């Protein structure tokens, strides 16, 4: 056992459900648990060091073995708590068997480095428990006394504030409201002038908590009000009402690592969105125009310095829009690991050969009777792997959901090549015969 080991904890669900002021209805909570759990498998790419994985029940051992074979590393120990609530660390702390397995898996390591999705009260409790058992625990988030900074920066309200703190930090023009009467007035003022309004909860996640108000044929915004009634995220004020910024193409973003040093690490990417939901990401040399990358870099440096001054530590993301007016607008800050984390790790690993990484987290799978990793997905990727293509299925547990989806991440020489490989692998999976995996069509993407 090495002296230092990474404890990889994809606490996505509890991070997204920790808003004590929000009264989630069971349907929304079920959706958020399913959505967050489906993305947890991406954490296998987060660390290239000696590590232990904490994974929710339901992962595929075959997929785990295949991915690690493709990475050229052994499968690490996996600790899986009994799923009582879907909140991974909460369930771990309440499962003596899983805690004993975790203690055994880290036995002999003097230092345990956390590699987590983001700060949450349960994460600090787990750190305290391990310290009580003699471990030197290194957090990858802010210390408990600065937890408030994590919560503040994660809130959409921080973006409005930072526009007054940081030169060059621009947000869409808007109005902050604290009551239903104010909300109605603000929406009417913005939409009534011929525009569209984007209304945001302070703590939206996974597409929940954002809605677009536009004038309908009868002069009302009736559908907008109906959408608000269905979402508990809009039941707590304040809310922001912003002008809809017209933009073209994908949305630029910068991931920033805030550490103890004054120089930030920054990774630039572009995001593909459907409506208000993030779907895909591409990063690597040349993906972001040089001039835009310079502007994103200045923005990331300013946010890094401000976050660091508040005591924040760890990864954060600044998501933007490039308006048709060529202005760079910040839409939100995510004070946590983002969906770019597995691409950043893979880009580091294969930078010399395949510097561009493209990922799509929710490709629809439309096979009659459902899809299986071993029968329908693995054969497609085995063909790619034998030809040297660095492509990995990243969220295979979502194959069994109500609306089955598959995540794919690809390392390639260019964005166009990577996207082509993802597209062809996706089509090959959907073309798989339900009862004959051997007859799968071969993807035609070029290999490297």
């Amino acid at each position: 056992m090495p002296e230092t080991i990474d404890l990889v904890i994809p606490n996505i669900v509890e991070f997204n459900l920790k808003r004590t002021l929000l009264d989630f209805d069971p349907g929304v909570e079920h959706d958020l648990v399913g959505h967050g759990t489906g993305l947890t498998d991406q954490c296998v790419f987060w660390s290239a060091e000696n590590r232990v994985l904490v994974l929710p029940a339901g992962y595929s051992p075959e997929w785990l073995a295949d991915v690690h074979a493709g990475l050229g590393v052994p499968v690490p120990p996996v600790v899986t708590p009994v799923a009582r609530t879907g909140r991974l660390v909460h369930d771990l702390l309440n499962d003596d068997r899983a805690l004993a397995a975790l203690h055994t898996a880290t036995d002999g390591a003097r230092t345990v480095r956390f590699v987590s999705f983001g700060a949450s009260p349960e994460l600090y409790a787990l750190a305290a428990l391990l310290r009580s058992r003699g471990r030197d625990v290194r957090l990858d988030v802010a210390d408990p006394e600065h937890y408030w900074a994590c919560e503040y920066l994660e809130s959409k309200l921080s973006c409005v504030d930072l526009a007054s703190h940081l030169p060059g930090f621009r947000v869409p023009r808007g109005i902050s409201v604290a009551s239903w009467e104010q909300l109605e007035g603000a929406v009417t003022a913005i939409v009534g002038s011929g525009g569209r309004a984007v209304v945001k909860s302070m703590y939206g996640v996974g597409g929940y908590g954002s809605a677009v108000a536009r004038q309908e044929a009868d002069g009302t915004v009736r559908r907008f009000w109906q959408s608000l009634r269905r979402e508990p995220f809009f039941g707590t004020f304040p809310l922001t009402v912003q002008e809809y910024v017209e933009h073209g193409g994908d949305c630029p973003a910068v991931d920033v690592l805030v550490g103890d040093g004054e120089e930030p690490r920054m990774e630039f990417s572009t995001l593909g969105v459907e409506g208000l939901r993030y779907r895909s990401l591409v990063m690597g040399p040349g993906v972001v125009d040089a001039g835009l990358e310079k502007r994103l870099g200045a923005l990331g440096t300013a946010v890094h310095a401000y976050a660091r001054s508040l005591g924040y530590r760890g990864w954060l993301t600044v998501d933007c829009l490039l308006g048709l007016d060529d202005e760079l607008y910040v839409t939100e800050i995510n004070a946590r690991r983002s969906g770019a984390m597995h691409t950043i790790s893979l880009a580091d690993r294969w930078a010399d050969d395949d510097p561009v990484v493209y990922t799509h987290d929710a490709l629809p799978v439309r096979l009659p009777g459902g899809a299986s990793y071993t029968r329908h997905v693995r054969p497609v990727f085995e063909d790619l792997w034998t030809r040297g293509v660095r492509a990995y299925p990243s969220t295979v547990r979502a194959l069994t959901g109500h609306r089955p989806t598959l995540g794919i991440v690809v390392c390639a020489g260019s964005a166009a090549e990577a996207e082509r490989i993802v597209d062809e692998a996706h089509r090959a999976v959907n073309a798989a015969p339900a009862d004959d995996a051997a007859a799968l069509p071969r993807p035609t993407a070029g290999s490297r």
Side-chain angles (χ1 to χ4, degrees), residues 1 28 53 81 89 119 123 129 159 176 183 191 195 208 216 227 229 307-308 328 359 364:
M1 174 66 66
V28 170
L53 304 177
V89 183
L123 199 70
L129 177 63
C159 286
S176 298
L183 176 61
V191 175
Y208 286 104
E216 297 168 35
S227 70
R229 286 204 305 268
R308 185 169 171 269
L328 193 62
T359 182

Side-chain angles (χ1 to χ4, degrees), residues 280-445:
S280 62
L281 177 147
V282 60
M283 67 178 303
V287 166
V288 178
D289 173 80
L292 180 57
E293 184 174 302
K294 183 177 180 180
R295 294 160 66 183
L296 280 170
L299 185 63
T301 299
V303 173
H304 170 272
Y306 187 76
R308 185 169 171 269
S309 74
L310 301 181
Y312 182 85
R313 295 295 184 270
W315 282 98
L316 59 80
T317 311
V318 185
D319 290 342
C320 304
L321 294 174
L322 184 62
L324 296 182
D325 57 3
D326 200 43
E327 293 287 355
L328 193 62
Y329 296 89
V330 178
T331 55
E332 67 179 23
I333 292 175
N334 294 308
R336 53 169 174 79
R337 274 183 165 83
S338 74
M341 281 303 109
H342 59 307
T343 66
I344 290 172
S345 176
L346 288 170
D348 287 344
R349 183 184 293 269
W350 307 122
D352 292 340
D353 300 315
D354 293 314
V356 173
V357 186
Y358 175 86
T359 182
H360 197 302
D361 292 344
L363 293 157
V365 176
R366 302 184 179 94
L367 289 177
S372 158
Y373 170 71
T374 54
R375 293 177 60 210
H376 304 115
V377 176
R378 174 196 266 169
V380 172
F381 284 87
E382 283 179 335
D383 181 78
L384 292 169
W385 296 331
T386 59
R387 293 186 284 118
V389 179
R390 292 184 172 123
Y392 309 93
S394 61
T395 53
V396 299
R397 71 170 72 218
L399 289 170
T400 58
H402 173 62
R403 294 178 178 174
T405 60
L406 172 66
I408 299 176
V409 57
V410 170
C411 305
S414 69
E417 181 186 4
E419 189 169 359
R420 184 173 63 253
I421 294 169
V422 168
D423 179 62
E424 294 183 359
H426 176 221
R427 286 191 285 109
V429 169
N430 273 330
D435 58 354
D436 185 8
L440 290 169
R442 293 168 58 90
T444 58

Side-chain angles (χ1 to χ4, degrees), residues 157-178:
L157 188 63
S158 67
C159 286
V160 178
D161 290 349
L162 264 63
S164 65
H165 283 277
L166 305 178
F169 193 106
R170 180 186 293 270
V171 297
R173 291 188 300 179
I175 303 171
S176 298
V177 299

Side-chain angles (χ1 to χ4, degrees), residues 175-216:
I175 303 171
S176 298
V177 299
S179 70
W180 289 107
E181 184 177 33
Q182 293 176 33
L183 176 61
E184 183 176 8
V187 169
T188 299
I190 293 177
V191 175
S193 61
R196 284 178 284 175
V198 178
V199 179
K200 295 181 181 179
S201 161
M202 294 301 97
Y203 294 103
V205 58
Y208 286 104
S210 295
V212 176
R214 55 174 60 86
Q215 197 169 70
E216 297 168 35

Side-chain angles (χ1 to χ4, degrees), residues 57-134:
Y59 71 90
S60 165
E62 296 86 0
W63 164 82
L64 192 68
D66 290 343
V67 165
H68 283 84
L71 296 175
V73 295
V75 178
V78 179
V79 175
T80 300
V82 175
R84 294 185 173 90
T85 68
R87 294 164 168 84
L88 186 60
V89 183
H90 175 90
D91 289 344
L92 175 62
L93 290 169
N94 288 277
D95 186 337
D96 291 341
R97 179 201 56 80
L99 286 174
L102 177 61
H103 186 67
T104 299
T106 58
D107 191 31
R110 187 174 63 84
T111 300
V112 176
R113 294 184 304 209
F114 277 28
V115 182
S116 65
F117 183 72
S120 66
E122 295 89 349
L123 199 70
Y124 295 123
L126 178 61
L129 177 63
L130 292 175
R131 286 174 178 139
S132 73
R133 296 184 175 181

